[in-house]
Amino acid sequence: MQIEDLKHRLDDALGAEDLVEQLTEKNLNLNEKLEEMRMAVEDLEALKELADELEENHIETEKQLQAEIDHRDMLLREQLERLRSSEETNVDYESTIQQFRELVLNLQSDLEQLRHKEENEQTEKRNLSSQSQAMMSLNMQLQSTVMKAQAKAIDLELRKLEAAQANDRLSYIQPYLPHTFFKSENDPISCLLLFKRLVFKSELMIKHLDQNHPISEKLMDTVSENLVSVCEMKQRAGWLSDLAKRFVTYIKHCKPESFTKMGQVYHDLVGTERRLNGIVELMRTDELNETECLTELQRIIAQLEHLTEVYLVQNGENNHADQFFGLTRALDLNADRMIVELTFVKQAAENACRNEGVVVIEGLDRLDFDYLEPLGRLIVQSKGSKIIAKKLLRQLEDLSEQALTLKAEHLHRFKMLYAISSKLSRFCFETYKQIAAYIDTKRGSKEDISLAIIQQMIYNKADEILEIAESSMWEGCLKTLKSLHNELGVTLERVENDNKMEKIATGVAPWVQRASDMKAEVVVNHDMERKLQQHSEEILKLIKDIKLKDQALQESGVKVELLEKRMETVKKQAVQITQLEENLHKAQTQEQMYAEAMENLQAEYDALEQENIELKKTAVQTEEKTQSAPKKSEFDVLEGEASSSDTSNYHEVTNQMEALKGAIRYLRAENAHLKSCDMARTLGLDRLPDIVQYKATKKEDADESSEVKETEKLVEDTEQDVRDLIRSFALETRVLVKDMRAVSASPKVVQLSAASRGGKWQSMKKVPDYQYQTQQSVLYTLKQRGDQLRHKMEELQRQQNVAPATPKSPQHNTIMVSFYFWETK
């Protein structure tokens, strides 16, 4: 039986060698595939880098084209403005020509009448002479207007020529400029010009509103609500102009690093300029809507104030001249608003009570004394503050002409004055809206006006905005306005008497410094110029090829997507290859173990053969002795019979012994089987009933050679991947059982040594808690390994569609046989 077992083991070892050869061949093939995949990955990375470079080139060309589009838009806007101005001049020409024709017709008719009446009436000659003189004066005026129109037209044409020459010069100079100018210098310069345009257009709005709505003249007549909106528009346009002036001054005197950062502001303010252009266009066509324009101006101011906080306040504004000027002009414009709003409220109450017959509950005397008289004082006080603000503004203008400005220590006082003025302006606006709405409702319904209600409105607003509790009507506003007037007077005296002025710092403009640096770099780097020329030629070639490569890029994008999908599959294959390499390493280690076991078995087999040969020799010698012995006597015969009977009894005993040994072997195998089943149940490995059943049938039918051949054929026909997995599972099972046996054989008693009580130092490994935790961690690790192995087998069954309840399926039998084959090896 041992010899047969050894033969079976030899056959298994030969089969293992064949499998090792197959695995090595498969490993070599997989290595070759891995190299091919690595080459493919390198190609894909090169393609990706090329795609990134092309994308960067696309972005650069897009920026260049966007800059060209903006330049073209600017040229289109200029052409449209020229067309509008030319249309306006044409309309003026047509109107003057039409007037001239009408006058000529009138003169001709008058001359005919004079000729008929000249002979008859002497008196009419004098009238005709006076009329002719008037006509001559009108003719002279027409000629002067025509001459002025011609001069204006000539000036416009000359300006058009200058503008066209400037644009042509700019377009001729731009190709000579380096690429770095358009990359880093163009946007800051455009930002500076944009802020200058904002200043000019804001001042143009203020000038237009002053011409069409002179406040000093309008105050003599009845004040309308439109004048209030005009004053608010002037105030916001002035504040916008002052903010833009601060930016212009900052850009002119900032450092080159800050100058380059201002290029970011240009793109944010392009839409702001468009909104301001819309307001100017509405003014030109006399279609101005004050409420919409006020909201647009407030948005622009909010955006510029945010930019002021980000760029001017954080970076430190050195020149405060524009800030002084802007705060002082804001005081002036706020005074205008207060005067107009207070005058409107005063006139509305007077017209409603005295002209339209609306009754005041408290009487007209109380109206004059409590309401109108404080309003008059407020208006006078506001005019006085406006006069002082004008003087202060002229003083600042004189200082700016001398390139001087106030010290920074005065800035806090100006900001305080502006805060008080803004608070007063807000109070006047809120009270104006409430009182005007109240008077309009009472005027429409012909109801009586109550001064108590008006006083409550004023009291609430004074408490809310001015934070002053009033005892009489307009008292809080009068106190605040008086304090503002006094503070303005003190500030004017200080400015006039201050001899220590700061000189406005004038240095080299940042763009000049940047240009000198660029020129120095150009002079030094001649080789760089050559390289730049070469690169520019290459860029032109690439730009020409971009259109041809767009389709190729699209195709390459599709290819990249396909290759990325293939890369995912390759990664999965690489993971499988690593797993197979690990399995191969485990197989090699197990092969070494099997080789050592085979050597031991071979040695045992040689020893058993030697014993068998010796036993055969002894058996032959005994037979020869029995045959060569002579015939004996009857006693000897009887003795021989007795000995023969003893030998027969001996054979029976030996047969019984063999049977008992076989029974013992069977019982031992059964005991080992039962113990393994109990161990599998405790570890949760009792989910492979088909394998155990197949092994039992394998042991029962091991003698039948036909079934063995069929099983070997099934094993050979099994797929390579399934065999590798089953072999790895069998190896893991053996290692797990071996580790479990080692753990069960190790001592489980925790040693409680008395040395720990004496306060002496001892090793951490001798601590009972540490010993117990190590035992528990080992048991937990074994349990985890058993669970993982069970999950792997379940996953394999799901992948191969194995049905454990139907062992008759060929696929199930193949898996079971393969598992048994590798386990027996």
Side-chain angles (χ1 to χ4, degrees):
M1 287 175 68
Q2 288 179 356
I3 291 165
E4 291 296 328
D5 192 8
L6 290 170
K7 287 180 180 180
H8 284 297
R9 290 182 181 181
L10 284 171
D11 294 335
D12 295 339
L14 293 173
E17 290 177 357
D18 295 334
L19 285 172
V20 169
E21 291 177 357
Q22 292 176 3
L23 286 172
T24 52
E25 291 178 358
K26 187 175 181 181
N27 192 9
L28 291 172
N29 294 327
L30 290 173
N31 287 327
E32 291 176 357
K33 289 182 180 179
L34 184 62
E35 291 295 330
E36 291 177 357
M37 294 298 176
R38 285 175 182 169
M39 294 295 290
V41 167
E42 290 177 357
D43 295 337
L44 289 173
E45 288 177 352
L47 287 173
K48 188 175 182 300
E49 290 177 357
L50 180 60
D52 293 335
E53 290 178 0
L54 292 172
E55 187 176 359
E56 290 177 358
N57 293 330
H58 272 299
I59 292 168
E60 290 179 358
T61 53
E62 185 180 356
K63 289 180 179 178
Q64 292 176 359
L65 292 174
Q66 187 65 36
E68 291 181 359
I69 289 169
D70 294 335
H71 180 64
R72 298 298 180 188
D73 291 337
M74 182 180 71
L75 293 176
L76 284 173
R77 288 194 295 271
E78 290 177 356
Q79 294 294 332
L80 289 172
E81 289 177 358
R82 292 175 187 172
L83 287 172
R84 288 168 186 168
S85 61
S86 62
E87 288 176 358
E88 290 177 357
T89 52
N90 287 329
V91 169
D92 293 336
Y93 292 158
E94 288 176 358
S95 62
T96 52
I97 291 167
Q98 186 67 29
Q99 290 177 1
F100 186 75
R101 287 176 179 173
E102 290 177 357
L103 288 171
V104 168
L105 290 173
N106 291 327
L107 287 171
Q108 288 177 355
S109 61
D110 291 337
L111 287 172
E112 288 177 358
Q113 290 177 3
L114 286 171
R115 287 173 185 172
H116 291 293
K117 292 180 181 180
E118 189 175 3
E119 296 176 355
N120 298 324
E121 296 179 358
Q122 187 67 28
T123 57
E124 291 181 359
K125 287 183 180 181
R126 298 174 182 174
N127 295 328
L128 285 174
S129 63
S130 63
Q131 288 179 359
S132 63
Q133 288 178 359
M135 293 298 176
M136 290 295 290
S137 63
L138 288 173
N139 193 5
M140 292 296 292
Q141 290 178 0
L142 283 174
Q143 288 179 359
S144 64
T145 54
V146 169
M147 292 297 292
K148 289 179 181 179
Q150 288 179 357
K152 188 177 181 181
I154 292 169
D155 290 337
L156 287 174
E157 292 296 329
L158 290 173
R159 289 178 183 177
K160 287 179 183 178
L161 179 62
E162 290 176 359
Q165 289 288 321
N167 289 325
D168 293 337
R169 186 179 180 82
L170 180 62
S171 63
Y172 296 154
I173 290 172
Q174 277 182 350
Y176 292 96
L177 295 174
H179 179 68
T180 54
F181 173 79
F182 296 100
K183 189 176 181 181
S184 60
E185 311 298 326
N186 191 21
D187 289 342
I189 292 171
S190 301
C191 180
L192 176 61
L193 295 175
L194 188 143
F195 277 117
K196 287 186 176 181
R197 290 196 297 273
L198 290 179
V199 172
F200 179 79
K201 290 171 184 176
S202 301
E203 297 293 337
L204 181 64
M205 289 170 60
I206 295 171
K207 186 177 179 181
H208 175 78
L209 292 173
D210 283 334
Q211 288 178 356
N212 294 336
H213 304 280
I215 295 173
S216 58
E217 295 178 5
K218 296 284 185 181
L219 289 174
M220 301 298 177
D221 300 330
T222 303
V223 177
S224 61
E225 290 189 9
N226 187 24
L227 190 62
V228 178
S229 301
V230 167
C231 290
E232 190 174 358
M233 278 191 68
K234 281 175 63 179
Q235 190 266 336
R236 293 188 181 179
W239 189 246
L240 174 62
S241 174
D242 294 328
L243 288 174
K245 281 180 184 177
R246 288 175 63 185
F247 272 100
V248 171
T249 307
Y250 173 74
I251 294 171
K252 284 182 178 179
H253 301 94
C254 68
K255 296 180 180 178
E257 295 80 8
S258 303
F259 178 71
T260 55
K261 290 180 182 178
M262 294 304 295
Q264 302 172 2
V265 184
Y266 172 69
H267 300 287
D268 298 334
L269 291 177
V270 173
T272 302
E273 187 182 13
R274 291 198 190 100
R275 290 199 293 269
L276 194 62
N277 290 334
I279 297 172
V280 173
E281 182 64 24
L282 290 174
M283 281 187 174
R284 193 181 69 82
T285 56
D286 202 9
E287 297 176 359
L288 188 65
N289 188 356
E290 286 80 6
T291 56
E292 294 180 359
C293 294
L294 285 172
T295 54
E296 289 293 330
L297 284 173
Q298 188 59 39
R299 289 177 186 171
I300 297 169
I301 290 169
Q303 187 177 7
L304 285 181
E305 285 178 347
H306 173 69
L307 293 174
T308 303
E309 293 292 330
V310 172
Y311 289 96
L312 300 187
V313 177
Q314 292 182 2
N315 295 328
E317 192 176 0
N318 295 324
N319 191 0
H320 301 288
D322 293 327
Q323 205 166 355
F324 284 119
F325 184 81
L327 293 172
T328 308
R329 188 164 71 165
L331 293 173
D332 181 21
L333 296 175
N334 285 337
D336 283 338
R337 280 187 65 185
M338 289 189 287
I339 292 168
V340 172
E341 289 164 359
L342 294 172
T343 306
F344 179 82
V345 171
K346 181 181 178 182
Q347 289 180 358
E350 283 182 344
N351 293 330
C353 296
R354 290 176 178 164
N355 297 333
E356 298 180 7
V358 178
V359 179
V360 180
I361 296 173
E362 290 80 358
L364 294 175
D365 295 335
R366 301 302 304 171
L367 176 68
D368 293 334
F369 184 75
D370 293 340
Y371 182 79
L372 297 177
E373 193 269 334
L375 271 177
R377 283 188 288 157
L378 278 174
I379 293 168
V380 173
Q381 199 78 19
S382 300
K383 290 179 180 179
S385 63
K386 177 179 172 60
I387 292 167
I388 297 174
K390 282 283 188 183
K391 291 180 180 178
L392 189 58
L393 197 62
R394 282 196 295 271
Q395 192 73 23
L396 291 174
E397 287 176 353
D398 294 337
L399 289 174
S400 64
E401 289 177 358
Q402 300 172 9
L404 297 174
T405 182
L406 297 175
K407 287 187 176 181
E409 60 190 19
H410 296 285
L411 187 61
H412 176 70
R413 187 174 189 83
F414 275 80
K415 288 182 179 179
M416 181 264 293
L417 292 173
Y418 173 71
I420 297 171
S421 176
S422 300
K423 193 183 293 186
L424 279 169
S425 178
R426 182 184 167 200
F427 168 77
C428 293
F429 182 70
E430 295 291 334
T431 52
Y432 142 73
K433 285 197 298 184
Q434 286 194 356
I435 294 172
Y438 175 73
I439 292 173
D440 287 339
T441 54
K442 295 299 182 181
R443 184 188 298 168
S445 60
K446 300 296 182 181
E447 295 178 359
D448 297 341
I449 294 175
S450 175
L451 289 177
I453 296 173
I454 296 174
Q455 184 176 3
Q456 186 64 34
M457 292 177 186
I458 299 169
Y459 176 79
N460 292 333
K461 289 299 175 183
D463 191 14
E464 178 185 351
I465 298 172
L466 300 179
E467 298 177 356
I468 294 174
E470 291 185 344
S471 59
S472 61
M473 204 178 298
W474 303 107
E475 182 182 0
C477 185
L478 278 169
K479 288 180 181 179
T480 309
L481 190 58
K482 188 175 181 181
S483 64
L484 176 65
H485 186 273
N486 295 330
E487 291 294 334
L488 276 171
V490 172
T491 305
L492 180 61
E493 289 179 1
R494 288 185 180 181
V495 170
E496 289 176 349
N497 298 325
D498 191 3
N499 297 322
K500 296 179 181 179
M501 299 292 178
E502 288 184 356
K503 192 171 183 180
I504 297 174
T506 57
V508 180
W511 56 87
V512 177
Q513 190 171 354
R514 294 277 298 175
S516 63
D517 294 339
M518 291 172 67
K519 288 177 181 178
E521 290 178 359
V522 168
V523 170
V524 173
N525 297 326
H526 295 290
D527 296 333
M528 290 296 291
E529 283 185 356
R530 296 173 186 172
K531 291 181 181 179
L532 283 172
Q533 290 178 357
Q534 293 176 359
H535 286 306
S536 62
E537 292 175 358
E538 291 177 359
I539 287 167
L540 290 173
K541 291 180 182 178
L542 289 173
I543 290 170
K544 291 178 182 177
D545 295 338
I546 280 171
K547 293 181 181 179
L548 299 175
K549 288 182 179 179
D550 285 337
Q551 188 175 0
L553 278 173
Q554 294 176 357
E555 293 176 357
S556 65
V558 176
K559 289 179 182 179
V560 166
E561 291 178 357
L562 293 173
L563 290 173
E564 284 178 353
K565 293 179 181 177
R566 290 181 184 175
M567 276 291 293
E568 292 177 357
T569 57
V570 167
K571 287 179 180 178
K572 292 179 182 178
Q573 290 177 359
V575 173
Q576 292 178 358
I577 287 166
T578 54
Q579 292 178 356
L580 290 172
E581 287 177 352
E582 292 177 357
N583 295 331
L584 179 61
H585 180 66
K586 292 178 181 179
Q588 289 176 355
T589 55
Q590 194 171 8
E591 183 184 358
Q592 291 177 359
M593 293 169 62
Y594 289 158
E596 293 175 357
M598 285 297 296
E599 290 176 358
N600 295 328
L601 290 172
Q602 187 66 33
E604 291 177 2
Y605 178 70
D606 294 337
L608 290 172
E609 279 188 350
Q610 190 68 30
E611 290 178 1
N612 191 11
I613 292 167
E614 291 177 356
L615 289 172
K616 284 181 181 180
K617 287 180 181 180
T618 55
V620 170
Q621 289 175 1
T622 53
E623 287 179 0
E624 288 177 355
K625 287 179 182 180
T626 54
Q627 288 177 3
S628 62
K631 294 181 179 179
K632 299 178 181 179
S633 61
E634 291 179 358
F635 180 78
D636 295 332
V637 171
L638 291 171
E639 190 176 2
E641 289 178 357
S643 64
S644 65
S645 64
D646 291 334
T647 55
S648 63
N649 289 327
Y650 174 75
H651 286 299
E652 289 178 359
V653 171
T654 54
N655 291 329
Q656 289 178 2
M657 288 291 291
E658 292 293 332
L660 288 171
K661 286 180 181 179
I664 288 167
R665 283 195 298 272
Y666 176 74
L667 289 173
R668 285 178 179 173
E670 187 69 21
N671 191 13
H673 174 67
L674 292 173
K675 286 183 178 179
S676 64
C677 289
D678 292 336
M679 183 65 73
R681 286 192 198 95
T682 57
L683 294 174
L685 300 174
D686 55 346
R687 300 188 182 183
L688 299 173
D690 299 328
I691 297 172
V692 179
Q693 183 179 1
Y694 185 76
K695 287 170 69 177
T697 56
K698 180 72 176 64
K699 288 181 180 179
E700 291 176 0
D701 300 335
D703 295 333
E704 296 180 3
S705 61
S706 61
E707 292 183 3
V708 172
K709 291 179 182 180
E710 290 178 359
T711 55
E712 289 178 354
K713 187 176 180 180
L714 286 171
V715 170
E716 291 175 357
D717 294 337
T718 307
E719 295 179 358
Q720 190 67 27
D721 295 335
V722 178
R723 287 190 293 174
D724 294 337
L725 290 171
I726 292 172
R727 184 185 64 185
S728 64
F729 293 159
L731 290 173
E732 289 180 9
T733 306
R734 283 197 166 197
V735 173
L736 181 60
V737 172
K738 184 178 178 182
D739 293 339
M740 288 174 64
R741 288 173 181 172
V743 170
S744 61
S746 63
K748 298 182 180 178
V749 178
V750 177
Q751 184 179 1
L752 299 173
S753 62
S756 61
R757 301 175 183 175
K760 297 180 182 180
W761 180 87
Q762 61 177 351
S763 177
M764 188 67 185
K765 295 182 179 178
K766 294 181 180 180
V767 178
D769 191 9
Y770 180 80
Q771 295 175 9
Y772 177 73
Q773 292 297 330
T774 52
Q775 291 177 5
Q776 292 299 319
S777 64
V778 170
L779 293 174
Y780 180 74
T781 306
L782 289 173
K783 184 177 181 302
Q784 291 293 324
R785 287 170 62 187
D787 293 337
Q788 289 177 2
L789 185 60
R790 185 177 70 249
H791 290 314
K792 287 180 181 178
M793 288 299 297
E794 290 176 356
E795 186 65 27
L796 179 62
Q797 284 183 346
R798 283 196 293 272
Q799 289 179 359
Q800 298 296 329
N801 296 322
V802 178
T806 58
K808 294 181 181 181
S809 63
Q811 194 172 9
H812 178 267
N813 291 332
T814 303
I815 295 169
M816 296 298 109
V817 169
S818 302
F819 188 86
Y820 173 70
F821 178 70
W822 289 111
E823 188 177 12
T824 53
K825 284 189 178 182

